[in-house]
Amino acid sequence: MSSSEQTLSIIKPDAVERNLVEEIKNIFKKNNLIIKESKKIQITKEEAADFYRVHQSKPFYDELCSYLSSGPIVVMILQGENAVIQNRELMGATNPKDAKENTIRKLYGISIDKNSVHGSDSNENAKKEIEFFFKN
Ligand code: CMP
């Protein structure tokens, strides 16, 4: 199996708002993830609901969709060896309180909602999430 993979990363509104985009991108670059594509966009709540539909039964779904659509985000395709796992290790645990030292969420996350970044959790979802934001 080829070890060079692609994954989707999102820098969420809390981090874009605090001008952390370049700092976060530098963490990816320093850790052998190439940023193949990157764009700053703002999505609608309906688009956020579509993106996060795997969470539709969760109690936090509505708030999650409102939040992701509340301001500009940066969506990126990251590429490198074991990119899915590598990105998840760099991000750290979902809740910044539980994240290991020097992970992105530990360094910059504010709360479980405002946790600064999203990353695909599997190769299958990476393909779907890349397709969602980079269709053409
Ligand atoms: P993310 O990796 O983008 O995937 C779904 C998001 O839901 C997650 O990061 C969190 O920001 C958010 N979220 C809010 N509440 C919870 C919760 N209780 N458990 C997991 N994720 C949560």
Side-chain angles (χ1 to χ4, degrees), residues 10 12 51-52 55 58-61 63-64 67-68 88 91 94-95 105 111-120:
I10 303 177
K12 295 187 182 185
F51 178 74
Y52 272 136
H55 294 298
K58 311 269 172 63
F60 55 84
Y61 182 58
E63 213 176 327
L64 175 62
Y67 173 60
L68 197 71
R88 291 185 70 78
M91 288 194 300
T94 305
N95 192 336
R105 286 167 168 163
S111 64
I112 194 163
D113 302 295
K114 296 183 175 178
N115 62 354
S116 301
V117 279
H118 166 85
S120 310

Side-chain angles (χ1 to χ4, degrees), residues 91-93 96-107:
M91 288 194 300
K97 275 194 261 176
D98 303 328
K100 287 185 194 154
E101 290 303 318
N102 290 318
T103 59
I104 295 169
R105 286 167 168 163
K106 181 72 172 188
L107 290 168

Side-chain angles (χ1 to χ4, degrees), residues 33-81:
L33 288 174
I34 297 162
I35 301 169
K36 292 290 281 184
E37 300 278 351
S38 173
K39 60 182 179 184
K40 189 176 181 182
I41 54 172
Q42 184 158 3
I43 59 171
T44 64
K45 188 171 176 185
E46 289 70 28
E47 287 169 326
D50 193 13
F51 178 74
Y52 272 136
R53 63 193 176 281
V54 291
H55 294 298
Q56 61 192 346
S57 61
K58 311 269 172 63
F60 55 84
Y61 182 58
D62 188 67
E63 213 176 327
L64 175 62
C65 300
S66 297
Y67 173 60
L68 197 71
S69 57
S70 68
I73 58 175
V74 174
V75 291
M76 291 164 288
I77 299 175
L78 305 181
Q79 184 172 314
E81 211 167 299

Side-chain angles (χ1 to χ4, degrees), residues 1-59:
M1 201 162 84
S2 163
S3 58
S4 183
E5 297 174 347
Q6 291 191 336
T7 190
L8 184 93
S9 169
I10 303 177
I11 303 181
K12 295 187 182 185
D14 63 273
V16 175
E17 197 173 69
R18 288 177 289 147
N19 294 315
L20 294 169
V21 172
E22 289 312 311
E23 280 177 59
I24 292 173
K25 282 186 172 180
N26 281 334
I27 293 177
F28 295 138
K29 290 179 204 166
K30 274 188 217 148
N31 287 280
N32 305 315
L33 288 174
I34 297 162
I35 301 169
K36 292 290 281 184
E37 300 278 351
S38 173
K39 60 182 179 184
K40 189 176 181 182
I41 54 172
Q42 184 158 3
I43 59 171
T44 64
K45 188 171 176 185
E46 289 70 28
E47 287 169 326
D50 193 13
F51 178 74
Y52 272 136
R53 63 193 176 281
V54 291
H55 294 298
Q56 61 192 346
S57 61
K58 311 269 172 63

